[in-house]
Amino acid sequence: MDEALPRSIETVVIGAGQAGLIMSWHLQRAGRPHVVLDRRETLGGGWQDRWDGFVLVTPNHRTELPGFPYDGADPDGFMARDVIAARVRSYADVIAAPVHPSTEVRRLRVPGGGGHRFRLETSDGPMDADTVIVATGPFHRPRIPAAAADLPSRITQLHSHDYRAVSQLPPGGVLVIGSGQTGVQLAEELREAGREVYLSVGHCGRVPRRYRGQDVFRWLRHLATRGAEFDAALPTVDQLPDQRMRFAGNPHLSGHHGGHDTNLRQMALDGIHLVGRFVSADGEHARFGADLAANLRFADDFFDMRFRTLIDTFVERAGIEAGPDNRAWPVFEPPEVTELDLAKVGISSVLWTTGYAPDYAWLELPILDDFGVPRHVRGISEVPGLTFIGLLWQRNLLSANLVGIDLDAEYLAATW
């Protein structure tokens, strides 16, 4: 927007991706004066940081936003990067969100004394607010292990955050380290481009693209919105046996080519070389854990352990007609490989798909937990007036996903 940034206001939303804009929609409905600040010049959220061939794993029909339903011709398709970024950008216009782009929040603190509760130092000067909603997403700083420094200098190394296309990489094989959603998709893309691909497989689950006749995200949406009616609700963050599970990679699947399963055993049969979890490097020698078989079993069992019973219970008790469980996958057991001579097997590039670390250095308040993320209950922090939206496991698995953000925003708008 062209208006000058106000120096004081009731509410500031930090971040104009889908989470911040959804929160703006709820604030407008409640009649609460606010602005939305975003450090980017061009709106579209973090989708703009994805690689050129990126497509959503979430079906188009699940990109509906409050006040902005999906009305396209392909509800069961999967949007490409530029399409979803443009949709988020359009949403800001549709709801007339009071967005100030190119406005980075460099510091947030409680100044003390009278007046407003919060002081924000921004790239456009200071401003004061009574309440602040942080909507900066869960993905801040690309995480690359220290052992990357032990790889030979001839190897081109990129984090997926900086990767755009195979043309960035020199000729030769590629070692992809990380088997979450991004890792498996990039491994497939590189293989399709004719590259020899090695995929380092970690402890990450997978879910089927379709289960009992429906896309898995239809079932997850049902569990999130109606599961409690039938004692089949998604587990909440307080039910996790270990809070470190909040940071596990998203279960892998793909929206490419109309959407498909990403079965690691099938990928191995199709020519992608699987190795275990990356452990260390010593020049040309990269070492991996002897855990490939165990990690493949975990991926195979993940859906059954976490979701199948919930979905089946929901189907039965809600009286929904659904097809059979007709999933099938190969039983191929790739060999355990604990060391690779990178030069010998022709690897010229390493692509790190190892996720992100939180970065709240600008948040000058003592509210970060041992993992570096804000302490909160369903997004409401211990600092009066400070809330968060779009965090990993803010409420459940879907909280940082297009499917779940509106549910959390609706709760905050009604509670806070």
Side-chain angles (χ1 to χ4, degrees), residues 184-250:
V184 295
Q185 291 177 81
L186 288 177
E188 286 188 329
E189 183 176 297
L190 290 163
R191 180 64 181 167
E192 290 172 4
R195 295 301 185 99
E196 200 74 12
V197 178
Y198 289 76
L199 176 62
S200 174
V201 177
H203 199 65
C204 187
R206 64 177 170 84
V207 294
R209 181 73 272 172
R210 296 178 65 82
Y211 177 68
R212 300 192 64 178
Q214 297 284 350
D215 188 276
V216 68
F217 276 99
R218 286 193 183 272
W219 294 125
L220 294 178
R221 175 70 176 184
H222 282 314
L223 297 183
T225 56
R226 300 185 59 208
E229 298 176 40
F230 305 101
D231 196 25
L234 289 172
T236 55
V237 64
D238 55 294
Q239 295 172 319
L240 292 177
D242 186 334
Q243 287 299 301
R244 289 175 296 183
M245 294 173 67
R246 292 178 292 169
F247 310 106
N250 287 327

Side-chain angles (χ1 to χ4, degrees), residues 108-122:
L108 175 67
R109 60 189 177 90
V110 176
H116 291 279
R117 187 174 292 156
F118 297 99
R119 167 63 58 88
L120 297 90
E121 303 292 345
T122 82

Side-chain angles (χ1 to χ4, degrees), residues 175-406:
L175 170 60
V176 179
I177 299 180
S179 58
Q181 283 181 9
T182 296
V184 295
Q185 291 177 81
L186 288 177
E188 286 188 329
E189 183 176 297
L190 290 163
R191 180 64 181 167
E192 290 172 4
R195 295 301 185 99
E196 200 74 12
V197 178
Y198 289 76
L199 176 62
S200 174
V201 177
H203 199 65
C204 187
R206 64 177 170 84
V207 294
R209 181 73 272 172
R210 296 178 65 82
Y211 177 68
R212 300 192 64 178
Q214 297 284 350
D215 188 276
V216 68
F217 276 99
R218 286 193 183 272
W219 294 125
L220 294 178
R221 175 70 176 184
H222 282 314
L223 297 183
T225 56
R226 300 185 59 208
E229 298 176 40
F230 305 101
D231 196 25
L234 289 172
T236 55
V237 64
D238 55 294
Q239 295 172 319
L240 292 177
D242 186 334
Q243 287 299 301
R244 289 175 296 183
M245 294 173 67
R246 292 178 292 169
F247 310 106
N250 287 327
H252 58 78
L253 77 168
S254 178
H256 286 85
H257 307 307
H260 64 276
D261 291 350
T262 47
N263 188 297
L264 292 167
R265 299 183 193 276
Q266 186 62 53
M267 291 167 68
L269 287 170
D270 292 340
I272 293 175
H273 307 280
L274 303 185
V275 296
R277 176 180 51 85
F278 175 75
V279 174
S280 64
D282 180 9
E284 295 290 349
H285 297 279
R287 300 184 182 90
F288 307 89
D291 55 3
L292 177 60
N295 291 342
L296 291 178
R297 286 195 299 272
F298 177 81
D300 288 343
D301 296 341
F302 178 83
F303 178 76
D304 287 346
M305 291 189 300
R306 302 288 177 86
F307 301 114
R308 181 180 61 82
T309 298
L310 290 175
I311 294 173
D312 290 348
T313 298
F314 179 82
V315 167
E316 178 183 354
R317 295 179 180 175
I320 295 174
E321 291 188 12
D325 177 3
N326 57 4
R327 292 172 297 151
W329 53 82
V331 295
F332 176 63
E333 288 288 348
E336 290 279 5
V337 177
T338 58
E339 186 169 320
L340 283 178
D341 183 321
L342 301 176
K344 185 174 181 179
V345 299
I347 290 174
S348 61
S349 305
V350 171
L351 191 54
W352 297 97
T353 60
T354 41
Y356 293 78
D359 186 358
Y360 291 98
W362 54 274
L363 191 60
E364 296 188 3
L365 296 167
I367 63 167
L368 302 184
D369 65 17
D370 293 340
F371 301 100
V373 297
R375 291 186 295 272
H376 67 93
V377 177
R378 295 196 67 176
I380 301 174
S381 84
E382 60 199 44
V383 176
L386 178 63
T387 61
F388 295 81
I389 185 71
L391 295 174
L392 292 171
W393 281 88
Q394 180 160 320
R395 169 65 172 166
N396 56 36
L397 175 70
L398 299 181
S399 286
N401 185 283
L402 281 166
V403 173
I405 288 174
D406 185 41

Side-chain angles (χ1 to χ4, degrees), residues 142-165:
R143 179 188 282 115
I144 298 178
D150 298 326
L151 290 166
S153 59
R154 69 169 186 84
I155 294 283
T156 295
Q157 298 189 55
L158 279 177
H159 190 276
S160 55
H161 183 84
D162 300 306
Y163 175 81
R164 293 295 175 268

